[in-house]
Amino acid sequence: MNVNLPIWIPDEQTVQTSAMKGFRDWCSYEHRIKLDDHSAFHDWSVEDMGDFWRAVWNYCDVIGEPGPRSLINGSDMLAARFFPEGRLNFARNLLRAGGDTEALVFRGEDKVEYRWSWDHLKRVVSQVQQALRSIGVKQGDRIAAMLPNLPETVACMLAATSIGAVWSSCSPDFGVQGVVDRFGQIEPSLFIACDAYWYAGKKLDVAAKVRAVAAELGCPSVIVHYAGDAHALAASIEGARTLEDFVGPWQPTDVEYLELPFSHPLYILFSSGTTGVPKCIVHSAGGTLLQHLKEHRFHSDIRKGDRVFYFTTCGWMMWNWLVSALASNATLLLYDGSPFHPDEQALWSYVEAEGVTFFGTSAKYLDSLRKSAGAPPRNRDLKALRFVASTGSPLSRDSFEYVYREIKADVQLSSMSGGTDIVSCFVLGDPTREVWRGEITGPGLGMAVDVWSDEGRPLRGQKGELVCTKPFPSMPLGFWNDPDRNRFTAAYFEKYGSVWNQGDLAEWTAHGGIVIHGRSDATLNPGGVRIGTAEIYNQVEQLDEVQEALCVGQQFSDDVRIVLFVRLREGIRLDPDLEQKVRKRIREGASPRHVPAKIVQVSDIPRTKSGKIVELAVREVIHGRPVKNIEVLANPEALGQYANLSELAS
């Protein structure tokens, strides 16, 4: 491969038949403006925001009434409001299709598999909706769910949002305190949980956890049967019922939809909580719908009848992103459990069997696949697959090459970056543009993304803060229990005033793309030089001996030095030769300034439930400071080995 050329270029047919090109041509005609290329299209989308977002509404046939005004107070991000008179219902837009074709396909590892048609999904939504109303759930009430990625989870969310209730979810692998820290803040009217779940072939019982959380929340509970005994668990909790009993009295009928303001609360998502109690981020129905329609149809080229898969849990924003693909009349392919059970082909056998057209996952999964000795996915029949998406952390250049070499040569690869904060993306792919190794293709339409210095100066060819200088519909409404928006303002607007600061260290490329170098709060500053952690990972994780790595800055001798922790392949030890190999790779691939002062072998690297490594937690531990909300970690025991490392004292 010639690394100085794009790794993938769309052919002319792909460009001409893409929804991105069709939408651009439509906007050009409707608004009598010349939009000859994507650059001109993006410029117009951020200069005439009101016209652009109304165009998204109209072109995507949003069901609802937009009202006369598209945007007010557009020059002030904190005061801006999109479609202030607009009204819609989120669930109605996701349930626009019907019939006996598949809406949801589910696979729980190799244990469970079933399918729901559009009509069946609507029948279940109708029953849950009636049951919710029967216990007094109303507009604005919160529904909290600790569930696997099941069809029942989707149905309960749609039923809740159809009547204007606010949905919030996490996965059943969270600890009791982690769940209570989240749901306890929002005071739900109903708690929905499962009886057990499968992971790596093992049935994990959650009965004791569900009982403890239900007691803390003090609201009615509904137990969804999956892998355990739902009736026994419900009987052990005062006032609890199984989902079967909850909906049993109600016959399916047409789903009723409450028309609500564009800015009505839809979801409450939570920050990772590794530095304090998780922030409760409130997202609007209209903003979420418009943003996801734009990202799905134009940036991801999702079409009616497509089969869309994203490996996610219900505790990661990508679940919310995935579910919205129903609004594009796509079939959702749901999966719960380990992506490597019963073997490394688990997800790819699913992709092949179901004719998946869009495959989404985390960068860590692709990196793990790249380093495995298993058969590559290209040995499968992947003829239907058109699009591969990756997010969660920066995707390395090696992983870009792996996708095209070992998954499929003719596929659009979209590295995406956004966050729970906006339940969507700032930067992502584009089916009409080429893909370059190690780069995110560019900003999303309607997103005035830039890279700024600490002083607020736009940067080109230098690392800086990823910002958004103009409002966008999926900006959160605020944080729960933050009536003056003081915490919300401090989180995103403290540094630059009326400009959104995402907290990512980023850099423009020569191709108009973006490279994310890691989180700003994890940026390394040895000798005052700003270094993104991803720059180091992209080098060291290319070595066959290294499974994964984590680096932090350690206060030492009145300065900051880089400490690199490495998890090596089984049976390999960090000897002087390997240490020198690591340093050489980093020096030649990045720069001498990136070379760590210390390299330490560890047996595990701590990560959140969604797979993100937690650099800040390790930094706190090695400095002898407590780590808050340790229950948000998937493997909290991993932190123990970092506490008293003798190598860090010299």
Side-chain angles (χ1 to χ4, degrees), residues 131 248 318 352 504 589 625 650:
M318 294 313 299
E352 180 181 40
D504 284 336
R625 298 188 289 262
S650 60

Side-chain angles (χ1 to χ4, degrees), residues 194-195 205-212 214-215 221 223 229-242:
C194 64
D195 48 16
D205 183 75
V206 293
K209 184 190 303 184
V210 172
R211 283 192 291 267
S221 299
I223 308 302
D229 189 335
H231 287 282
L233 178 53
S236 70
I237 301 172
E238 184 178 356
R241 284 178 278 179
T242 65

Side-chain angles (χ1 to χ4, degrees), residues 396-639:
S396 70
R397 293 172 64 92
D398 273 10
S399 290
F400 272 76
E401 294 187 354
Y402 175 82
V403 167
Y404 285 99
R405 183 181 68 249
E406 302 293 357
I407 295 180
K408 192 175 183 182
D410 185 20
V411 69
Q412 167 89 26
L413 174 58
S414 172
S415 179
M416 309 189 296
S417 183
T420 299
D421 320 79
I422 65 167
V423 74
S424 58
C425 305
F426 284 111
V427 288
L428 68 169
D430 175 358
T432 69
R433 298 173 64 192
E434 64 272 12
V435 174
W436 295 83
R437 295 166 181 80
E439 298 183 17
I440 299 174
T441 304
L445 291 172
M447 307 297 281
V449 172
D450 207 348
V451 177
W452 280 15
S453 69
D454 287 340
E455 298 75 31
R457 177 173 52 86
L459 298 174
R460 291 294 181 272
Q462 300 178 59
K463 292 186 286 289
E465 295 283 348
L466 183 73
V467 300
C468 195
T469 61
K470 294 183 178 181
F472 49 94
S474 64
M475 276 180 55
L477 299 173
F479 296 159
W480 193 258
N481 289 331
D482 181 29
D484 298 325
R485 303 184 91 196
N486 291 331
R487 291 170 56 222
F488 174 72
T489 302
Y492 306 112
F493 296 97
E494 191 170 62
K495 187 164 188 172
Y496 297 118
S498 187
V499 166
W500 180 285
N501 178 29
Q502 178 61 7
D504 284 336
L505 187 67
E507 182 179 3
W508 287 109
T509 72
H511 316 113
I514 289 275
V515 175
I516 304 292
H517 293 291
R519 292 291 297 170
S520 298
D521 53 12
T523 297
L524 310 171
N525 290 281
V529 178
R530 207 172 191 197
I531 292 173
T533 53
E535 298 173 81
I536 295 175
Y537 303 148
N538 285 344
Q539 300 305 318
V540 70
E541 291 182 356
Q542 293 180 43
L543 299 173
D544 290 337
E545 297 89 342
V546 179
Q547 286 286 81
E548 60 179 341
L550 179 150
C551 58
V552 298
Q554 182 194 20
Q555 297 293 330
F556 193 82
S557 297
D558 298 321
D559 197 2
V560 176
R561 68 177 183 179
I562 300 174
V563 179
L564 175 66
F565 299 97
V566 291
R567 182 171 71 86
L568 303 178
R569 285 186 179 277
E570 188 175 352
I572 296 178
R573 303 300 302 170
L574 183 66
D575 57 23
D577 288 342
L578 179 54
E579 189 168 336
Q580 181 59 31
K581 184 178 180 180
V582 171
R583 294 180 188 280
K584 183 174 184 289
R585 180 64 191 238
I586 295 171
R587 181 180 295 108
E588 293 178 352
S591 82
R593 292 185 181 276
H594 290 73
V595 177
K598 289 281 183 179
I599 305 176
V600 181
Q601 182 175 358
V602 291
S603 61
D604 201 3
I605 286 177
R607 59 184 52 80
T608 65
K609 305 287 187 183
S610 60
K612 297 180 182 179
I613 62 174
V614 285
E615 296 151 328
L616 296 184
V618 170
R619 190 178 70 189
E620 295 300 283
V621 166
I622 69 171
H623 287 102
R625 298 188 289 262
V627 177
K628 300 176 182 178
N629 295 304
I630 201 166
E631 285 204 1
V632 305
L633 302 182
N635 55 339
E637 68 283 354
L639 280 177

Side-chain angles (χ1 to χ4, degrees), residues 155-194:
C156 288
M157 181 278 288
L158 291 169
T161 58
S162 71
I163 60 175
V166 185
W167 180 263
S168 191
S169 63
C170 72
S171 53
D173 56 346
F174 273 75
V176 171
Q177 194 58 50
V179 178
V180 172
D181 282 347
R182 285 160 170 74
F183 295 157
Q185 296 184 70
I186 64 173
E187 301 177 294
S189 297
L190 183 68
F191 174 52
I192 309 176
C194 64

Side-chain angles (χ1 to χ4, degrees), residues 329-365:
N329 290 353
T331 300
L332 303 189
L333 284 299
L334 308 177
Y335 182 91
D336 196 80
S338 168
F340 298 114
H341 183 83
D343 53 42
E344 291 176 338
Q345 295 293 311
L347 298 187
W348 297 102
S349 66
Y350 193 25
V351 170
E352 180 181 40
E354 297 297 337
V356 169
T357 57
F358 177 105
F359 176 87
T361 187
S362 67
K364 281 296 179 185
Y365 171 79

Side-chain angles (χ1 to χ4, degrees), residues 119-132:
D119 283 350
H120 182 79
L121 173 58
K122 286 182 174 181
R123 288 193 292 269
V124 177
V125 170
S126 166
Q127 289 179 285
V128 177
Q129 180 192 76
Q130 294 174 75
L132 291 175

